[in-house]
Amino acid sequence: MSTATALPRVAILDDYQKVAFTFADWSVLKGKVSIDVFTDTISDEDALVKRLEPYNIICAMRERTKFRASLLDRLPNLKFIATTGRKNAGIDVAHAKSKGIPVSGTDGGGNSTLEHIWALILSAARHIATEHAGVRGSRQLWQTTIPIGLQGKTLGLVGVGGLGKKTAQIAQVFGMKVIGWSPNLTPGRAEAAGVGFAKTKAELFQTSDIVSIHMVLSESTHHLITAEDLAHLKPTAIFINTSRGPLVDEDALVEVLSKKKIAAAGLDVFDLEPLPLDHPLRDVDNVTLSPHMGYVSDDNYKVFWSQTVENILAFLEGAPKRVIEA
């Protein structure tokens, strides 16, 4: 067996933009591993097994590829998973641990998601995508939309954790009123976060001019936002989701947008990603779409990829670091 084939094999997954080698120095791994990079996402488990079966180390970019127990059981050569971020709901960490497969994460850098939340809010409120397309497309009419002013409006936060608090602080700079609701939010916690307390989810949806979702996806929060909730929104309301697609009944959201029951939406996350080419959201004209890039920035990528290299090296040296506990 040659030296090259004897080296541990590393698979870098879902590197859509081909930047893994741009944002980190991988030279410390030269001669220690062989590396292959994949730029596409595969969701079919059989196809994933065929691709990943030879690899000892897998680098996962966030939750683009899901590592459920059934997949882990079919990868006999897998010894280590390096994922980006402090946690990864797409990996069954407990099952990996039971199989002796450590999972190491990374820190993050900057305020990428916070910035993206406000990019979507402002784009939706000011119809940036529509007007950009019109100007670039040589539309005869110079202006076709009337932006929605933010001052004096109410921002409703579904979830008032660290990111929700920062979102509220920026809203207040714009002169907005901010209210919050979540299954576990109390009046005291709302007050400590500097936001008003909505007693019920219905109250938040009925009174907010903009609703932004800031929740972690779990079994209990799947479809937390229902068709009934969306029906409570004002006809002038804007709906923002940068958290996870399955938090929302996507079919119901498509319906309220296509029937113009709300003014607009800004979406960065979807039930299935990448978003299928024939998905109805691609044909709705009052939604601003981005390809789950809330966490994507040069700052984040520098930290993600450099610490991924560190994590692989630490594993090879027998002392995994930044290990995620189940």
Side-chain angles (χ1 to χ4, degrees):
M1 182 180 293
S2 69
T3 302
T5 57
L7 294 174
R9 297 189 63 182
V10 177
I12 297 175
L13 302 188
D14 307 308
D15 186 11
Y16 298 156
Q17 298 150 307
K18 303 178 182 179
V19 295
F21 294 142
T22 302
F23 283 95
D25 179 7
W26 293 73
S27 64
V28 294
L29 297 176
K30 187 175 182 180
K32 300 178 185 295
V33 296
S34 64
I35 303 174
D36 294 315
V37 180
F38 299 96
T39 59
D40 60 327
T41 294
I42 294 177
S43 56
D44 178 75
E45 185 172 295
D46 289 337
L48 269 173
V49 170
K50 184 177 181 180
R51 169 176 286 184
L52 300 180
E53 192 275 336
Y55 293 96
N56 311 111
I57 297 171
I58 291 175
C59 302
M61 172 53 76
R62 303 304 301 120
E63 297 163 18
R64 293 175 182 177
T65 294
K66 307 295 190 294
F67 287 86
R68 301 180 177 89
S70 58
L71 175 61
L72 293 171
D73 286 341
R74 298 174 68 186
L75 299 176
N77 296 310
L78 182 60
K79 305 300 180 185
F80 178 64
I81 299 174
T83 183
T84 53
R86 297 180 182 92
K87 57 185 178 180
N88 188 328
I91 300 174
D92 190 332
V93 175
H95 194 70
K97 184 177 181 179
S98 74
K99 295 176 69 66
I101 303 170
V103 180
S104 290
T106 70
D107 298 322
N111 287 311
S112 180
T113 303
L114 177 65
E115 293 162 8
H116 201 76
I117 290 165
W118 280 99
L120 284 179
I121 290 174
L122 292 169
S123 293
R126 302 202 64 82
H127 307 285
I128 297 298
T130 298
E131 295 298 351
H132 168 81
V135 175
R136 288 291 300 270
S138 300
R139 183 185 61 204
Q140 185 173 2
L141 289 174
W142 180 231
Q143 297 176 357
T144 62
T145 62
I146 299 176
I148 298 169
L150 299 184
Q151 185 172 357
K153 298 296 197 305
T154 297
L155 172 64
L157 302 175
V158 178
V160 192
L163 189 57
K165 292 176 186 176
K166 291 181 179 180
T167 303
Q169 290 169 357
I170 295 175
Q172 289 155 359
V173 172
F174 283 114
M176 300 183 74
K177 176 183 177 182
V178 185
I179 60 174
W181 175 89
S182 79
N184 301 311
L185 187 66
T186 63
R189 288 178 55 205
E191 183 179 5
V195 306
F197 177 69
K199 294 184 180 67
T200 64
K201 186 170 40 161
E203 178 186 338
L204 181 131
F205 274 76
Q206 289 166 348
T207 58
S208 298
D209 298 290
I210 299 173
V211 171
S212 185
I213 311 301
H214 304 274
M215 295 290 296
V216 174
L217 179 63
S218 66
E219 289 185 9
S220 64
T221 60
H222 183 269
H223 281 194
L224 177 68
I225 309 306
T226 66
E228 181 180 359
D229 297 325
L230 296 171
H232 286 312
L233 288 169
K234 302 174 183 178
T236 54
I238 296 172
F239 182 82
I240 305 293
N241 188 7
T242 56
S243 292
R244 291 294 183 270
L247 290 165
V248 183
D249 182 336
E250 191 170 82
D251 291 338
L253 182 57
V254 169
E255 182 176 2
V256 298
L257 285 167
S258 60
K259 292 184 177 180
K260 303 294 193 293
K261 292 183 178 180
I262 63 174
L267 306 176
D268 187 49
V269 290
F270 311 93
D271 278 1
L272 182 62
E273 298 175 6
L275 191 67
L277 296 179
D278 60 352
H279 197 283
L281 277 171
R282 292 181 181 268
D283 298 320
V284 178
D285 62 8
N286 55 344
V287 59
T288 300
L289 305 173
S290 59
H292 200 157
M293 57 187 298
Y295 64 90
V296 177
S297 72
D298 55 351
D299 294 328
N300 257 352
Y301 271 5
K302 287 173 185 175
V303 176
F304 280 178
W305 290 117
S306 63
Q307 291 190 358
T308 292
V309 173
E310 292 174 6
N311 289 342
I312 294 173
L313 185 60
F315 168 75
L316 293 173
E317 293 175 346
K321 61 195 302 185
R322 304 188 185 95
V323 175
I324 299 173
E325 297 298 333

